[in-house]
Amino acid sequence: MKQYVVTRPLYSEDAFADVHEKIHRHHKTVRHHVKQYFTCDLKRAKNAALSLLPFIGWMRIYQLKEWLLSDIVSGVSTGLVAVLQGLAYSLLASLPPWYGLFTAFFPVIVYFFLGTSRHISVGAFPVLSLMVGAVVTRLVPDEGPPVNITGFEGLTSDEQRVMVAASVTFLMGIMQLAMGLLQVGFIVMYLSDTLVSGFTTAAAVHILVSQLKFVLGLVVPGLSGPLSIVYTLEKIFVQIEKTNVCDLVTSILIMVVVFIVKEINDRYKAKLPVPIPIEVIMTVIACGVSYAFNFRVNYKVDVVGRIPVGYESPMAPNMQIFGQTAVEAFPMAIVGFAVAFSVAKVYSVKHDYIIDGNQELIAFGASNIIGAAFKSFAASTALSRSAVQESTGGKTQIAGLLSALIVMVVTLAIGFLLEPLPKSVLGAVVIVNLKGMLMQIREVPYLWRRDRPDCVVWLVTCLASILLGLDLGLAVGLGMELLTVVFRAQFPRCSVLANITGTDIYKDRKDYMSIYEPEGVKIFRIPSPIFFANIDFFRGKLVEAVGFNPLRVLRKRNKALRTIRKLLKKGELQMTSKGLLLTSSGPIEESEDESNMEELDQPTDFKDLPVQVNWNSELPANIQVPRVDVHSLILDFSAVSFLDISALKGLKAALKELIRVEVEVYIVACDVYIQKKLHSCMFFDDEVKSSMFFLTLHDAMLHILEKHPVNSENTKVCEKVITTATIHGNQCNGVSSLRNRDKFVHVSEPETKF
């Protein structure tokens, strides 16, 4: 077994500072930072240009011969999928299908110039589309008049819905762009994987329910708000007997075939040069069959219908809609960015390049703003479409640009071929692509076994998002997540440590058999920051660890001193050669003088007494004072990252209470910045001194063992070794765990125990 031996002096923090001189570091002022931020030179201008237009960086290293063919194949494959998903996800947004083609084109072009990921496919994302649809159906419901908004006059229902979707997308883009410019891309860190998993699972349930009306061929109005999913299911089951059998059979057939082929793609992806584009194939077949048998007329099947050729003129957003949709736009901005950034991060790690979260916010913000001006709805990235772009060999966003060109060809030239496509086919394609999100429910048993607070976050987020809607559900989930963080920080798992025999290692005494605990010494560890919310918990656990309440002990001692002074004054207690002797035979009651109660919390004062009292010995006159068997307490601050003002006050009060009952307190492994804060906040005084800080836990332990040596009368020769250390020239080869406390308090005259 490999070993190491270190011989060094025993260091407190003060001793270490005396021996090892620190480097004085000059910290920049706020003025210097501001000046540096606004200073511009050629190098900084070049870096800013490359940062704002990341495509310049990878275009400079583009390997034409090696990458171009792969990008072309990937772009064509992704473009076909983007066309189909654009049509399908438009139904989720409660918009005419062809607006999904706009979403698959304009945001992709903008992201090509501004995005830092080379592999994600930008466009409609089902969860985001559903959130847009909830806003659209709230302002322009299927049944009843729309909300009174200036600008709706003279517009058809579809045009009103397009205005709402474009305006909320524009507002969402402004929020993303603002967050990017303000460099707050870190906000995505507050959405944990657990929360996102529960949220997307709930969104998949919403999507599934929203597509049932297309699969069954029913007319069900779009609903939004709390319990909308329950009301939607109620409306579906009330008219279940009106199901269009042709739609149902077509949907089931599409789902079965697509599911089987997708499983084959997953199982044999290493052998297949390109995944089989089964959704595209089945869509083409369904279009042909629908056209040949005239599904719309003969079987009353709802089809895509007329798809206008070309693009529509730009549209300014409606300011009144901004006010109506601001609450929904913010969670959409966060969810859209979080999903896209998560997917981009996976591919950046896989292909070894760097993505910038703030630049991604800028890219998606600009994509949504420009896309909304041309009547597209909220864009992010779809997992399946990005997987197609990467798995078919896509190397850069050239593939994304080519996919946008495929969408443009469909929009300008061959869109009419999709007019006979049944909407039930689009619904079936959406549902079968929900498998990945719905199967996330399998995480629940694992989370329950491994991390129950995370499991609670998953369940609460999922259930709240299903019942209350995606926007409120996300807010509830985020609140629950922050609550678990506060709970973990407020109620950390504190522990009492002990020495692993023969080492300088200290572990939780409950976890190991071969441990060494010096008598009268407690080592307490708190594994979290100490702040206003957990300082009382910290003090409670500290009292539990030492086994007594120091404030209660101090008050009992001071009350005992009052009784002793009273007895001495009456002559009922006299000084003898053996100590103080009680001369009264009657019962003596403890002093109940409640005047000057604040004095009970002050240090014990023996100045007017002939002796100092050993509080652990038997006291005369039936005076009862709790026994304190701890003479030293070590606080392990190695996991304490910060202290706030409330914690400083509470910590100082706790230390003073311990010191006043003759418990020596040591703080070890304290962060240097915490020590600086303690000095700047005037933490130290005549009782709480900086000499209590030690460099390591073992340094403090050796210092205590030197100060409180082994009582040789009660122990045999030490058999266990803590470590070999030189302390003021004496070799310490271990101390017994049977050491008794033998600390007598001296009398002002000859030494007398009381």
Side-chain angles (χ1 to χ4, degrees):
M1 180 183 293
K2 294 182 178 180
Q3 296 182 341
Y4 74 89
V5 177
V6 176
T7 302
R8 64 166 178 81
L10 189 157
Y11 283 131
S12 66
E13 289 284 358
D14 291 345
F16 186 82
D18 291 340
V19 176
H20 300 275
E21 184 179 358
K22 291 183 68 175
I23 297 174
H24 177 70
R25 290 187 292 172
H26 178 70
H27 295 283
K28 296 178 181 178
T29 63
V30 176
R31 179 183 177 186
H32 187 277
H33 282 293
V34 172
K35 181 180 178 182
Q36 187 179 29
Y37 184 80
F38 287 103
T39 300
C40 185
D41 53 24
L42 184 61
K43 182 179 179 181
R44 189 165 185 185
K46 179 181 176 181
N47 291 337
L50 290 175
S51 175
L52 188 60
L53 299 171
F55 83 101
I56 297 174
W58 56 261
M59 284 292 286
R60 290 165 58 190
I61 61 170
Y62 192 84
Q63 300 174 25
L64 196 63
K65 294 182 179 179
E66 291 81 2
W67 291 359
L68 183 59
L69 182 60
S70 298
D71 278 343
I72 292 174
V73 173
S74 175
V76 173
S77 303
T78 307
L80 295 174
V81 176
V83 169
L84 180 59
Q85 291 189 347
L87 296 172
Y89 296 156
S90 290
L91 302 182
L92 296 176
S94 300
L95 298 174
W98 64 86
Y99 286 97
L101 300 179
F102 300 167
T103 307
F105 178 74
F106 291 106
V108 177
I109 300 297
V110 178
Y111 187 85
F112 172 84
F113 294 101
L114 300 178
T116 58
S117 174
R118 304 176 194 172
H119 292 89
I120 64 171
S121 176
V122 178
F125 175 56
V127 176
L128 214 53
S129 301
L130 191 67
M131 296 177 78
V132 172
V135 177
V136 168
T137 53
R138 179 172 65 83
L139 298 184
V140 188
D142 290 333
E143 297 178 348
V147 175
N148 185 19
I149 292 178
T150 304
F152 276 1
E153 298 85 357
L155 300 180
T156 65
S157 176
D158 283 345
E159 290 172 339
Q160 291 173 350
R161 291 189 165 200
V162 170
M163 178 179 285
V164 172
S167 297
V168 73
T169 300
F170 196 97
L171 181 58
M172 166 188 165
I174 290 176
M175 291 177 175
Q176 290 178 329
L177 184 62
M179 287 190 289
L181 294 175
L182 294 174
Q183 304 286 293
V184 292
F186 65 86
I187 196 171
V188 73
M189 292 187 296
Y190 291 98
L191 300 179
S192 67
D193 292 342
T194 304
L195 183 143
V196 172
S197 174
F199 177 76
T200 52
T201 303
V205 175
H206 277 281
I207 293 168
L208 175 63
V209 172
S210 71
Q211 297 305 293
L212 287 179
K213 64 181 180 181
F214 298 111
V215 170
L216 299 175
L218 302 175
V219 179
V220 179
L223 302 173
S224 62
L227 299 180
S228 61
I229 192 170
V230 177
Y231 299 137
T232 301
L233 287 172
E234 179 190 11
K235 290 182 178 296
I236 289 173
F237 285 112
V238 163
Q239 52 179 325
I240 194 71
E241 74 279 358
K242 298 179 183 179
T243 298
N244 188 311
V245 177
C246 182
D247 273 325
L248 180 61
V249 171
T250 303
S251 300
I252 292 175
L253 184 62
I254 294 289
M255 284 190 283
V256 169
V257 174
V258 171
F259 179 80
I260 292 173
V261 176
K262 276 183 165 290
E263 289 297 311
I264 293 173
N265 282 341
D266 288 340
R267 182 167 295 185
Y268 299 103
K269 60 183 177 182
K271 298 180 180 180
L272 292 172
V274 176
I276 301 171
I278 187 60
E279 294 102 327
V280 177
I281 294 172
M282 294 306 294
T283 301
V284 172
I285 294 173
C287 277
V289 173
S290 175
Y291 177 77
F293 292 94
N294 200 358
F295 277 7
R296 185 175 66 85
V297 175
N298 295 333
Y299 300 101
K300 309 300 181 186
V301 170
D302 191 14
V303 298
V304 170
R306 188 184 70 87
I307 297 181
V309 176
Y311 295 100
E312 300 181 9
S313 58
M315 178 185 67
N318 186 295
M319 295 296 112
Q320 196 173 351
I321 294 177
F322 280 6
Q324 295 275 355
T325 61
V327 175
E328 291 100 332
F330 184 71
M332 286 167 56
I334 298 298
V335 170
F337 170 64
V339 171
F341 185 76
S342 300
V343 177
K345 188 164 59 174
V346 170
Y347 289 127
S348 69
V349 171
K350 181 177 180 180
H351 295 279
D352 193 24
Y353 62 90
I354 297 173
I355 58 171
D356 182 350
N358 293 311
Q359 182 61 28
E360 286 293 291
L361 271 171
I362 293 173
F364 278 104
S367 298
N368 282 305
I369 289 172
I370 295 175
F374 289 93
K375 301 183 181 179
S376 72
F377 55 88
S380 179
T381 181
L383 310 184
S384 57
R385 197 169 59 247
S386 296
V388 169
Q389 181 165 320
E390 192 269 343
S391 63
T392 51
K395 303 297 182 184
T396 65
Q397 281 299 332
I398 292 288
L401 191 63
L402 292 173
S403 74
L405 294 178
I406 297 295
V407 175
M408 184 179 70
V409 170
V410 173
T411 305
L412 297 178
I414 60 175
F416 68 92
L417 296 176
L418 296 171
E419 290 180 1
L421 179 65
K423 289 185 178 180
S424 58
V425 173
L426 296 177
V429 170
V430 170
I431 289 174
V432 81
N433 278 291
L434 295 176
K435 178 200 169 188
M437 289 195 287
L438 289 172
M439 294 307 291
Q440 290 177 133
I441 198 170
R442 293 182 298 184
E443 296 178 12
V444 174
Y446 172 82
L447 290 172
W448 183 255
R449 293 192 302 268
R450 304 297 181 187
D451 195 326
R452 292 190 178 180
D454 264 359
C455 185
V456 171
V457 170
W458 196 102
L459 291 172
V460 169
T461 304
C462 186
L463 292 175
S465 299
I466 289 174
L467 297 176
L468 303 179
L470 296 180
D471 48 355
L472 291 177
L474 181 63
V476 171
L478 186 58
M480 177 56 66
E481 184 178 56
L482 295 178
L483 193 62
T484 60
V485 172
V486 171
F487 182 82
R488 293 174 196 260
Q490 189 171 352
F491 304 105
R493 185 182 178 276
C494 301
S495 55
V496 177
L497 306 184
N499 176 255
I500 301 297
T501 307
T503 73
D504 61 350
I505 299 170
Y506 295 81
K507 296 288 185 181
D508 192 331
R509 65 179 180 180
K510 296 179 181 179
D511 295 337
Y512 293 89
M513 297 289 293
S514 180
I515 61 169
Y516 169 80
E517 279 192 285
E519 187 177 342
V521 181
K522 294 291 182 183
I523 307 170
F524 182 73
R525 183 175 187 270
I526 178 169
S528 81
I530 307 176
F531 58 107
F532 66 93
N534 69 357
I535 182 62
D536 291 334
F537 175 81
F538 165 73
R539 294 183 65 175
K541 284 292 182 180
L542 187 59
V543 167
E544 184 181 321
V546 296
F548 62 91
N549 187 323
L551 185 58
R552 178 174 174 270
V553 171
L554 180 61
R555 288 174 176 174
K556 283 284 187 180
R557 288 184 179 182
N558 281 326
K559 280 187 176 182
L561 285 178
R562 286 185 178 182
T563 303
I564 292 171
R565 288 190 178 96
K566 191 174 183 181
L567 293 174
L568 286 171
K569 187 176 181 180
K570 290 181 177 180
E572 297 177 0
L573 198 63
Q574 294 182 356
M575 183 69 183
T576 68
S577 58
K578 295 182 178 181
L580 291 173
L581 180 65
L582 184 65
T583 59
S584 174
S585 58
I588 303 297
E589 296 183 359
E590 185 178 338
S591 174
E592 296 295 334
D593 182 13
E594 298 298 330
S595 61
N596 298 323
M597 286 296 294
E598 63 276 6
E599 293 183 2
L600 297 179
D601 295 342
Q602 300 303 312
T604 51
D605 185 5
F606 300 100
K607 63 183 179 182
D608 59 344
L609 295 179
V611 294
Q612 286 182 303
V613 180
N614 176 13
W615 295 109
N616 285 343
S617 65
E618 184 177 350
L619 302 177
N622 296 322
I623 297 175
Q624 299 294 325
V625 176
R627 181 182 177 87
V628 176
D629 293 322
V630 176
H631 60 74
S632 300
L633 172 67
I634 302 176
L635 300 179
D636 183 359
F637 268 35
S638 58
V640 178
S641 56
F642 74 86
L643 293 161
D644 68 1
I645 296 299
S646 299
L648 289 179
K649 293 178 180 177
L651 177 63
K652 186 170 183 177
L655 296 184
K656 283 193 171 186
E657 290 169 7
L658 288 162
I659 292 169
R660 288 171 181 177
V661 295
E662 302 173 12
V663 176
E664 300 164 4
V665 183
Y666 303 91
I667 298 177
V668 301
C670 184
D671 185 85
V672 62
Y673 295 104
I674 292 180
Q675 292 185 55
K676 287 182 179 179
K677 185 172 184 177
L678 295 178
H679 281 284
S680 65
C681 293
M682 311 298 290
F683 183 77
F684 302 106
D685 55 24
D686 293 339
E687 292 180 278
V688 181
K689 301 178 181 179
S690 61
S691 58
M692 68 170 55
F693 286 84
F694 276 75
L695 206 61
T696 70
L697 203 162
H698 202 57
D699 283 309
M701 179 62 79
L702 293 177
H703 172 78
I704 292 169
L705 294 177
E706 175 200 11
K707 196 170 183 180
H708 302 276
V710 178
N711 183 358
S712 58
E713 295 179 359
N714 296 332
T715 61
K716 297 182 180 180
V717 179
C718 301
E719 296 179 351
K720 303 297 183 181
V721 177
I722 295 183
T723 186
T724 302
T726 303
I727 305 179
H728 296 295
N730 297 325
Q731 192 74 9
C732 177
N733 290 324
V735 260
S736 168
S737 61
L738 301 177
R739 200 188 71 75
N740 290 327
R741 182 179 182 186
D742 188 22
K743 181 182 178 182
F744 298 112
V745 189
H746 298 302
V747 192
S748 54
E749 297 178 9
E751 182 173 342
T752 305
K753 289 191 293 181
F754 175 44

